[in-house]
């Protein structure tokens, strides 16, 4: 099955700086790569997603880049703010026509004031 | 508010018991997914239903089963409960399935005593 590695597990940045979280996956048949933000005790919220026919997608301060050849994708958050503090999960579709998502272990992003 | 409704929010029961978790998808969504979130296993895909039919299976134990009804709501049944089944159980829905955003409900926190 699909294997997703996410790094780092914890990331602390100064407010206003940029944060980058990276994920690698194993199944070359995967085509859908969403990112979720989860605050303590709450549900995962979809913040951005990318499909395999696109190399980069941006939404205000958030961007995702995908390298299908290398099987890795990254989340970039610019001009970080205190409300960006949360756990971020990357995910990958199962490929082969199955629709369940395989999630990374998560990155705890801490924004230092 | 994601539009996905899960009940109950909390469930406390004992080992060996059976419980049923309920999920109503967003209006118009045909696919329902169940995920389990625990500290040691992270977010894991259990099972997906599409328009009443089972579509994909993930790491779902034989003690667990699910179904989707004609009105598209879904139920996850957990039986012969063990201490290790204590976790957050999330339901997500998407319009169709393949390569589409999955929106999560607020989850059911299951505690086994």
């Amino acid at each position: 099955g699909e294997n997703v590695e996410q790094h780092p597990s914890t990331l602390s940045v100064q407010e206003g700086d940029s944060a980058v979280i990276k994920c690698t996956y194993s199944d070359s048949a995967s085509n859908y790569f969403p990112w979720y933000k989860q605050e303590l005790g709450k549900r995962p919220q979809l913040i951005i997603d990318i499909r395999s026919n696109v190399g980069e997608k941006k939404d205000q301060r958030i961007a995702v880049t995908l390298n299908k050849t290398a099987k890795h994708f990254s989340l970039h958050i610019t001009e970080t703010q205190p409300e960006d503090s949360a756990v971020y999960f990357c995910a990958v579709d199962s490929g082969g026509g199955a629709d369940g998502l395989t999630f990374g272990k998560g990155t705890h992003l801490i924004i230092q004031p | 508010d994601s539009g996905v409704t899960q009940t109950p929010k909390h469930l406390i029961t004992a080992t060996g018991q059976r419980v049923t978790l309920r999920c109503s998808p967003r209006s118009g969504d045909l696919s329902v997914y169940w995920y389990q979130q625990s500290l040691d296993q992270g977010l894991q895909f259990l099972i997906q239903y599409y328009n009443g039919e089972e579509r994909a299976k993930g790491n779902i134990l034989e003690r667990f089963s699910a179904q989707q009804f004609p009105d598209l709501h879904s139920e996850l049944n957990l039986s012969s409960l063990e201490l290790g089944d204590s976790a957050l159980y999330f339901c997500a829905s998407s319009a169709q399935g393949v390569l589409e955003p999955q929106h999560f409900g607020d989850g059911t926190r299951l505690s086994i005593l």
Side-chain angles (χ1 to χ4, degrees):
Chain A
E2 179 69 86
N3 184 42
V4 179
E5 301 271 347
Q6 182 172 346
H7 299 281
S9 56
T10 304
L11 178 59
S12 181
V13 301
Q14 290 292 125
E15 183 179 348
D17 287 350
S18 295
V20 180
I21 303 170
K22 300 180 180 180
C23 285
T24 60
Y25 61 98
S26 59
D27 190 349
S28 56
S30 296
N31 289 301
Y32 179 61
F33 309 89
W35 284 89
Y36 285 84
K37 174 184 179 182
Q38 188 176 29
E39 296 176 17
L40 190 62
K42 300 200 172 177
R43 61 182 169 86
Q45 281 188 287
L46 179 68
I47 56 171
I48 196 166
D49 58 7
I50 193 167
R51 289 165 179 76
S52 59
N53 58 343
V54 176
E56 184 173 356
K57 182 176 178 181
K58 192 172 180 180
D59 182 5
Q60 299 184 332
R61 297 186 296 108
I62 295 173
V64 56
T65 58
L66 171 65
N67 183 327
K68 275 223 81 176
T69 304
K71 289 188 280 189
H72 69 71
F73 58 114
S74 301
L75 177 72
H76 305 253
I77 305 175
T78 59
E79 300 171 20
T80 52
Q81 301 168 4
E83 54 265 35
D84 294 330
S85 293
V87 178
Y88 291 80
F89 293 94
C90 64
V92 180
D93 74 292
S94 302
D99 299 336
L101 295 174
T102 300
F103 283 83
K105 294 289 186 189
T107 296
H108 185 192
L109 177 62
I110 301 164
I111 309 300
Q112 304 276 8
Chain B
D1 182 11
S2 67
V4 179
T5 304
Q6 287 188 250
T7 57
K9 291 192 187 311
H10 303 278
L11 206 45
I12 302 173
T13 189
T15 55
Q17 296 298 304
R18 173 189 169 94
V19 296
T20 297
L21 313 184
R22 182 188 169 103
C23 169
S24 293
R26 293 189 319 164
S27 177
D29 283 0
L30 298 178
S31 272
V32 169
Y33 310 78
W34 287 97
Y35 292 88
Q36 179 193 60
Q37 186 173 36
S38 62
L39 280 174
D40 54 340
Q41 297 289 333
L43 257 170
Q44 286 204 306
F45 167 64
L46 297 179
I47 196 165
Q48 180 207 358
Y49 279 80
Y50 173 77
N51 204 20
E53 301 285 329
E54 182 186 304
R55 182 149 172 174
K57 255 185 175 176
N59 299 320
I60 189 165
L61 299 173
E62 284 193 12
R63 301 183 284 108
F64 296 1
S65 64
Q67 52 185 325
Q68 186 179 28
F69 295 87
D71 67 352
L72 301 177
H73 92 269
S74 177
E75 291 181 356
L76 178 67
N77 300 296
L78 315 177
S79 62
S80 303
L81 287 167
E82 301 174 0
L83 292 176
D85 297 328
S86 294
L88 255 175
Y89 291 85
F90 286 106
C91 167
S93 72
S94 69
Q96 297 283 333
V98 181
L99 306 188
E100 289 187 340
Q102 295 181 24
H103 298 275
F104 282 69
D106 289 335
T108 293
R109 182 172 294 281
L110 176 63
S111 299
I112 313 299
L113 303 180

